[in-house]
Amino acid sequence: MTDRSGGTEAKRRGCNGSSGIHMSAGGERAGGAAPLPVLIVGGGVTGLSAAWELQQRGISYVLFEAGDFFGGKVQTEHTDDGFLVEKAADAFILGKPWAAELAREVGLESEFIHPREETKKLYFLRGDELLDFPPNMKMFVPLDDESFLRSGVLSPEGLRRFLAEQDVPPRPDTGEDESLAAFVIRRFGEEALDFIVPLAAGIYVANPYELSMKAAFPQFLALEQKYGSVIRGSRATPRAEGPIFMSFGGGMGTFAAAVAAKLTGELRLNTPVLRVHPGGVTLAGGEQVRGSGVIVTVPAWYAAPMLRLDFPQASAEVGALRANGSVAIVLAYRAEQFPRDMALHGLQVSADAETQARTRMKAITVHSAKLRGRAPDGHVLLRVFFGDIEPGQARAEAVREIERLFGVQGEPLWHSYADWRGKNPAYQVGHLDHVARIRTALPPQVRVAGASYTGVGLPDCVNAGRTAAREVVGASLTPTA
């Protein structure tokens, strides 16, 4: 496989131009020259977005990426036999506008695609039964009672208790955080966890008893407070017109490649940062680079050691952020290996004890049917998702599950996997307060930003990068006593 981020060219600009910079008072280079650049640590989507925001504002910057490509977890690979493989997200939500806005700014309109409506079929696996996913849903919220009661995704008693959420009084708005599990049990009943957890906690690969509602799903808390009920609030809120999700014809890596291609500042690949200072960074090779501000966009487990010497309190808080693990197995088949039509988007797996005793699989996406251009004609491409297990075990179980559920004949043509064990941020209860403590422990010209802190989706990362850039610029322009 080739092309990890939508383009094979590795960009490394001005790699020898930043050594030995000395800073005078006021953030300017010695001798009264132009202000020092803002330094960005990490070339994932957050770092690229920060660089773009600085560029739009006419602020010079230097971006350091430890690896040999841009985009971080957003990686697309094109196989020699015509498949397009996503290593992480395959699309992003349009309800958060920031990724689509940036895509337009860098000229990607011709690449916009959306999940195919004609294949928009989804199953819900409960026990050994493949159930049709309930129709007329807004995420996990049913928009009408009758179709949900007929769905069978919970027991009859569980379905009735779920819908009785409309009669549960709202919790007093004290500002206190709670877990997803506590929220669901309180409002929808304990059995509702079996249906809601795969759809909600699955996004974060999280333990529902630890996942913060305020950090992960504040919109449902807001519906409870405004309407007294999540179901009533969802039904009273009009659906947005048009598609809900978007991707790119050449894969999600196209996005990172397009932003990187538009950046005219100094981008340094294969350049790990060892230490972050109030006025710059020290690179792994010992070189010190000074800047007017620093934006650290790498995941928390990389950021904490960089901050340890100069910002010990912030480092301790960053290091205390936990992460969860997941593995995605990619399987390619010929369509003729399946006795049934595979024109569907995939399936979600119930979290009930019986189903979980049968499989460790969390979900399946049929990429060849969900999005155009992901597989050659006459072929099926699937991604099978698991929690924190060894990739070899996940691969064997994925093949067994595809055979059991869909009757596939023979082995896959090939397989690959994305190993994100220990690399998915875990937004535990109290996460927003935790992030606030980190911000307080850092000076205003040093920011941490990215999925570890304020949202795991592509739009969230774009917004985090651009927001951090604005904050650092604002700090550098604020007079000091």
Side-chain angles (χ1 to χ4, degrees), residues 9 20 23 37 41 73 82 89 107 116 133 164 171 181 191 211 213 221 255 269 278 298 378 413 438 457 468:
E9 180 185 5
M23 186 170 70
V41 182
K73 291 177 74 172
R116 296 166 62 185
F133 196 82
R171 187 180 73 161
E191 191 182 343
L211 182 62
M213 280 297 295
L221 296 173
F255 178 79
L269 290 171
V298 295
L413 301 176
I438 294 169

Side-chain angles (χ1 to χ4, degrees), residues 121-142:
K121 183 175 183 62
L122 191 66
Y123 287 118
F124 188 76
L125 177 63
R126 186 172 181 230
D128 270 335
E129 190 175 4
L130 276 179
L131 303 168
D132 287 336
F133 196 82
N136 202 19
M137 301 286 293
K138 186 183 287 187
M139 198 174 174
F140 61 76
V141 181

Side-chain angles (χ1 to χ4, degrees), residues 7-303:
T8 56
E9 180 185 5
K11 295 194 293 183
R12 185 182 174 92
R13 300 193 188 118
C15 298
N16 299 315
S18 295
S19 299
I21 295 175
H22 301 284
M23 186 170 70
S24 63
E28 295 184 352
R29 298 176 191 262
L36 289 168
V38 174
L39 308 181
I40 303 167
V41 182
V45 167
T46 304
L48 294 172
S49 301
W52 177 257
E53 180 69 21
L54 293 169
Q55 184 166 300
Q56 299 304 101
R57 293 170 174 269
I59 305 296
S60 62
Y61 58 88
V62 183
L63 186 152
F64 304 99
E65 166 55 44
D68 60 0
F69 66 94
F70 299 112
K73 291 177 74 172
V74 180
Q75 301 173 28
T76 300
E77 295 185 346
H78 299 267
T79 70
D80 294 338
D81 50 354
F83 291 88
L84 186 156
V85 177
E86 301 284 20
K87 291 296 186 178
D90 62 9
F92 59 92
I93 193 166
L94 288 169
K96 296 180 177 182
W98 307 296
E101 289 173 352
L102 179 51
R104 290 187 179 93
E105 289 176 26
V106 298
L108 275 178
E109 291 93 336
S110 64
E111 282 281 323
F112 290 0
I113 63 170
H114 306 283
R116 296 166 62 185
E117 287 292 328
E118 70 273 19
T119 61
K120 197 175 180 180
K121 183 175 183 62
L122 191 66
Y123 287 118
F124 188 76
L125 177 63
R126 186 172 181 230
D128 270 335
E129 190 175 4
L130 276 179
L131 303 168
D132 287 336
F133 196 82
N136 202 19
M137 301 286 293
K138 186 183 287 187
M139 198 174 174
F140 61 76
V141 181
L143 298 184
D144 72 84
D145 291 1
E146 292 305 315
S147 62
F148 190 67
L149 288 169
R150 293 193 300 268
S151 69
V153 295
L154 301 172
S155 71
E157 295 79 10
L159 291 167
R160 287 193 291 270
R161 172 62 185 89
F162 194 110
L163 293 172
E165 186 272 343
Q166 298 166 82
D167 302 319
V168 175
R171 187 180 73 161
D173 186 11
T174 63
E176 184 179 356
D177 200 3
E178 65 181 322
S179 71
L180 172 67
F183 177 82
V184 169
I185 293 170
R186 178 170 63 80
R187 296 217 56 85
F188 298 91
E190 188 165 5
E191 191 182 343
L193 285 170
D194 298 342
F195 179 68
I196 293 176
V197 166
L199 306 177
I203 299 171
Y204 291 87
V205 199
N207 181 339
Y209 291 91
E210 298 178 349
L211 182 62
S212 162
M213 280 297 295
K214 289 178 70 175
F217 303 109
Q219 69 271 34
F220 296 115
L221 296 173
L223 289 175
E224 177 186 22
Q225 294 303 316
K226 182 175 181 180
Y227 295 94
S229 158
V230 175
I231 293 178
R232 287 205 307 271
S234 295
R235 294 176 180 181
T237 306
R239 283 182 182 271
E241 295 186 5
I244 299 173
F245 295 96
M246 191 169 84
S247 187
F248 304 98
M252 293 287 282
T254 303
F255 178 79
V259 177
K262 293 286 187 177
L263 295 177
T264 57
E266 186 176 342
L267 311 181
R268 300 178 68 174
L269 290 171
N270 303 300
T271 310
V273 169
L274 182 66
R275 181 177 171 185
V276 174
H277 312 285
V281 301
T282 297
L283 305 182
E287 175 187 354
Q288 292 192 350
V289 184
R290 305 300 301 274
S292 60
V294 184
I295 303 172
V296 182
T297 71
V298 295
W301 51 92
Y302 293 130

Side-chain angles (χ1 to χ4, degrees), residues 454-473:
T454 55
V456 300
L458 191 76
D460 293 306
C461 290
V462 170
N463 185 47
R466 301 190 79 158
T467 299
R470 290 192 292 268
E471 290 176 346
V472 168
V473 171

